[in-house]
Amino acid sequence: MLTKKQLDLLQFIHKRMQRDGVPPSFDEMKEALNLRSKSGIHRLITALEERGFIRRLAHRARAIEIVKLPDSMMSDSGFTPKVIDGGRPDTTPRDAIPVEAVHAMELPVMGRIAAGVPIEAISHASHHVAVPGSMLSSQGEHYALEVKGDSMINAGINDGDVVVIRETSTAKDGDIVVALVEDHEATLKTFRRNGASIALEAANPAYETRVLPADKVKVQGRLVGLIRTY
């Protein structure tokens, strides 16, 4: 059985995915449920995952997929869980999805990016990583960065993940970007305009939002994908 807050969050995620095709951000969830911090959303997400209603995906920035809905939502939702019948039902999970061959591209890993205390700016490629072509848009160049730190964990980005970045110098509010601060600090944060300033917002309540003059922040790229290794 779900609590009211858990059900409210599941309904909000479901409606937004039906409308936009992608899950809402943690900020949007927080505002929709009128919570004071994103840590509360993180706890609700964890509870929904433990109860089997959602699954967090490893290779997407907004890493949430709805697995099932409670009976109270099924009648008017039009939701049908994806079930693949396998050849070995005793060993294959019922919701397993077959892995299809995908086109992959090699991207340069341009060092580490801070998801926490800013570290040195991006310098040069250290190695390359294979990335599914479906992550990449047809516009702009792409590169990859290894994440260092835990300031973006509530956005599904963990220490050690590799993020895929599309080069751009512009961003919209709510985009997760690579920001170059004062020409020497590179950091991965959520971008928001705050009057004549830029707010670089963490996705972890342990980190404060940095508000800087607009001329001190240069957008280097926008997050388009994530790769996790175990």
Side-chain angles (χ1 to χ4, degrees), residues 68-81:
K68 65 179 181 179
L69 295 174
D71 292 341
S72 60
M73 291 176 60
M74 289 294 286
S75 59
D76 59 356
S77 70
F79 175 82
T80 303

PDB file of all heavy atoms in Angstrom, residues 68-81:
ATOM      1  N   LYS A  68       4.708  -0.309 -13.025  1.00  0.00           N
ATOM      2  CA  LYS A  68       3.298  -0.659 -12.842  1.00  0.00           C
ATOM      3  C   LYS A  68       2.618   0.485 -12.105  1.00  0.00           C
ATOM      4  O   LYS A  68       3.264   1.380 -11.564  1.00  0.00           O
ATOM      5  CB  LYS A  68       3.157  -1.961 -12.039  1.00  0.00           C
ATOM      6  CG  LYS A  68       3.669  -1.852 -10.600  1.00  0.00           C
ATOM      7  CD  LYS A  68       3.482  -3.171  -9.847  1.00  0.00           C
ATOM      8  CE  LYS A  68       3.979  -3.036  -8.399  1.00  0.00           C
ATOM      9  NZ  LYS A  68       3.796  -4.295  -7.642  1.00  0.00           N
ATOM     10  N   LEU A  69       1.301   0.457 -12.121  1.00  0.00           N
ATOM     11  CA  LEU A  69       0.497   1.435 -11.405  1.00  0.00           C
ATOM     12  C   LEU A  69      -0.427   0.707 -10.444  1.00  0.00           C
ATOM     13  O   LEU A  69      -0.828  -0.431 -10.704  1.00  0.00           O
ATOM     14  CB  LEU A  69      -0.329   2.271 -12.387  1.00  0.00           C
ATOM     15  CG  LEU A  69       0.447   3.172 -13.348  1.00  0.00           C
ATOM     16  CD1 LEU A  69      -0.512   3.824 -14.349  1.00  0.00           C
ATOM     17  CD2 LEU A  69       1.223   4.237 -12.597  1.00  0.00           C
ATOM     18  N   PRO A  70      -0.801   1.345  -9.343  1.00  0.00           N
ATOM     19  CA  PRO A  70      -1.750   0.711  -8.423  1.00  0.00           C
ATOM     20  C   PRO A  70      -3.126   0.596  -9.076  1.00  0.00           C
ATOM     21  O   PRO A  70      -3.441   1.305 -10.031  1.00  0.00           O
ATOM     22  CB  PRO A  70      -1.770   1.668  -7.221  1.00  0.00           C
ATOM     23  CG  PRO A  70      -1.314   2.975  -7.764  1.00  0.00           C
ATOM     24  CD  PRO A  70      -0.338   2.655  -8.859  1.00  0.00           C
ATOM     25  N   ASP A  71      -3.959  -0.300  -8.545  1.00  0.00           N
ATOM     26  CA  ASP A  71      -5.278  -0.544  -9.118  1.00  0.00           C
ATOM     27  C   ASP A  71      -6.100   0.737  -9.210  1.00  0.00           C
ATOM     28  O   ASP A  71      -6.886   0.928 -10.144  1.00  0.00           O
ATOM     29  CB  ASP A  71      -6.044  -1.574  -8.283  1.00  0.00           C
ATOM     30  CG  ASP A  71      -5.411  -2.957  -8.391  1.00  0.00           C
ATOM     31  OD1 ASP A  71      -4.654  -3.185  -9.360  1.00  0.00           O
ATOM     32  OD2 ASP A  71      -5.670  -3.795  -7.504  1.00  0.00           O
ATOM     33  N   SER A  72      -5.922   1.648  -8.253  1.00  0.00           N
ATOM     34  CA  SER A  72      -6.719   2.881  -8.231  1.00  0.00           C
ATOM     35  C   SER A  72      -6.422   3.780  -9.413  1.00  0.00           C
ATOM     36  O   SER A  72      -7.225   4.647  -9.755  1.00  0.00           O
ATOM     37  CB  SER A  72      -6.451   3.649  -6.935  1.00  0.00           C
ATOM     38  OG  SER A  72      -5.075   4.000  -6.838  1.00  0.00           O
ATOM     39  N   MET A  73      -5.267   3.580 -10.059  1.00  0.00           N
ATOM     40  CA  MET A  73      -4.897   4.409 -11.206  1.00  0.00           C
ATOM     41  C   MET A  73      -5.071   3.679 -12.527  1.00  0.00           C
ATOM     42  O   MET A  73      -5.004   4.302 -13.592  1.00  0.00           O
ATOM     43  CB  MET A  73      -3.432   4.861 -11.081  1.00  0.00           C
ATOM     44  CG  MET A  73      -3.177   5.857  -9.965  1.00  0.00           C
ATOM     45  SD  MET A  73      -1.401   6.235  -9.816  1.00  0.00           S
ATOM     46  CE  MET A  73      -1.021   6.913 -11.430  1.00  0.00           C
ATOM     47  N   MET A  74      -5.280   2.376 -12.501  1.00  0.00           N
ATOM     48  CA  MET A  74      -5.281   1.600 -13.735  1.00  0.00           C
ATOM     49  C   MET A  74      -6.516   1.845 -14.599  1.00  0.00           C
ATOM     50  O   MET A  74      -6.464   1.789 -15.816  1.00  0.00           O
ATOM     51  CB  MET A  74      -5.197   0.105 -13.427  1.00  0.00           C
ATOM     52  CG  MET A  74      -3.830  -0.329 -12.910  1.00  0.00           C
ATOM     53  SD  MET A  74      -2.531  -0.171 -14.147  1.00  0.00           S
ATOM     54  CE  MET A  74      -2.947  -1.559 -15.196  1.00  0.00           C
ATOM     55  N   SER A  75      -7.655   2.144 -13.981  1.00  0.00           N
ATOM     56  CA  SER A  75      -8.899   2.210 -14.734  1.00  0.00           C
ATOM     57  C   SER A  75      -8.915   3.312 -15.770  1.00  0.00           C
ATOM     58  O   SER A  75      -9.472   3.158 -16.850  1.00  0.00           O
ATOM     59  CB  SER A  75     -10.078   2.396 -13.765  1.00  0.00           C
ATOM     60  OG  SER A  75      -9.894   3.583 -13.005  1.00  0.00           O
ATOM     61  N   ASP A  76      -8.266   4.459 -15.457  1.00  0.00           N
ATOM     62  CA  ASP A  76      -8.320   5.568 -16.400  1.00  0.00           C
ATOM     63  C   ASP A  76      -6.958   5.978 -16.920  1.00  0.00           C
ATOM     64  O   ASP A  76      -6.811   7.029 -17.525  1.00  0.00           O
ATOM     65  CB  ASP A  76      -8.989   6.786 -15.747  1.00  0.00           C
ATOM     66  CG  ASP A  76      -8.266   7.242 -14.500  1.00  0.00           C
ATOM     67  OD1 ASP A  76      -7.288   6.574 -14.100  1.00  0.00           O
ATOM     68  OD2 ASP A  76      -8.690   8.255 -13.921  1.00  0.00           O
ATOM     69  N   SER A  77      -5.972   5.160 -16.705  1.00  0.00           N
ATOM     70  CA  SER A  77      -4.620   5.558 -17.091  1.00  0.00           C
ATOM     71  C   SER A  77      -4.246   5.121 -18.493  1.00  0.00           C
ATOM     72  O   SER A  77      -3.426   5.745 -19.148  1.00  0.00           O
ATOM     73  CB  SER A  77      -3.604   4.965 -16.105  1.00  0.00           C
ATOM     74  OG  SER A  77      -3.525   3.564 -16.261  1.00  0.00           O
ATOM     75  N   GLY A  78      -4.808   3.995 -18.933  1.00  0.00           N
ATOM     76  CA  GLY A  78      -4.394   3.457 -20.218  1.00  0.00           C
ATOM     77  C   GLY A  78      -3.008   2.846 -20.179  1.00  0.00           C
ATOM     78  O   GLY A  78      -2.423   2.552 -21.209  1.00  0.00           O
ATOM     79  N   PHE A  79      -2.472   2.622 -18.991  1.00  0.00           N
ATOM     80  CA  PHE A  79      -1.123   2.099 -18.823  1.00  0.00           C
ATOM     81  C   PHE A  79      -1.121   0.581 -18.916  1.00  0.00           C
ATOM     82  O   PHE A  79      -1.965  -0.083 -18.311  1.00  0.00           O
ATOM     83  CB  PHE A  79      -0.565   2.527 -17.464  1.00  0.00           C
ATOM     84  CG  PHE A  79       0.785   1.948 -17.147  1.00  0.00           C
ATOM     85  CD1 PHE A  79       1.932   2.526 -17.654  1.00  0.00           C
ATOM     86  CD2 PHE A  79       0.898   0.837 -16.321  1.00  0.00           C
ATOM     87  CE1 PHE A  79       3.174   2.007 -17.349  1.00  0.00           C
ATOM     88  CE2 PHE A  79       2.147   0.313 -16.017  1.00  0.00           C
ATOM     89  CZ  PHE A  79       3.279   0.900 -16.539  1.00  0.00           C
ATOM     90  N   THR A  80      -0.215   0.048 -19.706  1.00  0.00           N
ATOM     91  CA  THR A  80      -0.048  -1.400 -19.800  1.00  0.00           C
ATOM     92  C   THR A  80       1.410  -1.741 -19.562  1.00  0.00           C
ATOM     93  O   THR A  80       2.277  -1.283 -20.301  1.00  0.00           O
ATOM     94  CB  THR A  80      -0.452  -1.919 -21.186  1.00  0.00           C
ATOM     95  OG1 THR A  80      -1.804  -1.542 -21.444  1.00  0.00           O
ATOM     96  CG2 THR A  80      -0.316  -3.427 -21.255  1.00  0.00           C
ATOM     97  N   PRO A  81       1.726  -2.485 -18.510  1.00  0.00           N
ATOM     98  CA  PRO A  81       3.121  -2.837 -18.271  1.00  0.00           C
ATOM     99  C   PRO A  81       3.705  -3.616 -19.436  1.00  0.00           C
ATOM    100  O   PRO A  81       3.010  -4.405 -20.079  1.00  0.00           O
ATOM    101  CB  PRO A  81       3.055  -3.718 -16.999  1.00  0.00           C
ATOM    102  CG  PRO A  81       1.745  -3.383 -16.376  1.00  0.00           C
ATOM    103  CD  PRO A  81       0.824  -3.032 -17.491  1.00  0.00           C
TER     104      PRO A  81
END
